[in-house]
Amino acid sequence: MFAELLRDPWFLAALAALVIGWGAVSFSEPGRSRAVLEWLSATAMYVVLLMLFLRLSQRAWEGGSYLALAAFGFLSVVFTIGCGVSVVKAFQARRREEKSQVSATN
């Protein structure tokens, strides 16, 4: 199942954005651009997790396992909400002044 995801270019792009983003956050100075990068990397993390759990939900639906479908569907909803929150926070971090930083890592 994970091998199927690794053939998906959108999954690989989100995974690469996550790894590169968090690597860049680790070595950058605190500031507005770092806060925006943190939230964009968090968004990439949610996209990766969302793609994984949506695929698991699809397999549960095809297999007729309604308990697994409910569990993976619930996690898909949670990660969708988290993705939306992190996108909003990225836009807010972009507009925020330098001295009042709230980041995704503290």
Side-chain angles (χ1 to χ4, degrees):
M1 195 277 314
F2 193 69
E4 294 172 16
L5 281 174
L6 289 177
R7 285 183 287 229
D8 183 5
W10 293 106
F11 181 79
L12 291 176
L15 194 60
L18 171 64
V19 171
I20 291 168
W22 282 109
V25 165
S26 298
F27 297 107
S28 63
E29 295 290 324
R32 185 183 347 177
S33 60
R34 177 181 170 167
V36 171
L37 187 57
E38 287 172 353
W39 285 111
L40 290 176
S41 298
T43 302
M45 176 191 66
Y46 281 116
V47 168
V48 166
L49 290 170
L50 184 60
M51 291 177 79
L52 175 68
F53 283 106
L54 285 174
R55 178 66 183 136
L56 288 171
S57 297
Q58 180 184 9
R59 291 187 76 170
W61 175 265
E62 291 169 353
S65 175
Y66 296 112
L67 182 61
L69 179 63
F72 294 137
F74 172 75
L75 289 171
S76 297
V77 169
V78 168
F79 291 130
T80 300
I81 293 168
C83 186
V85 168
S86 65
V87 167
V88 169
K89 291 290 190 178
F91 283 121
Q92 287 176 347
R94 179 72 181 119
R95 295 178 17 176
R96 188 170 291 127
E97 304 259 337
E98 284 290 328
K99 43 186 154 166
S100 63
Q101 288 296 323
V102 175
S103 70
T105 57
N106 59 339

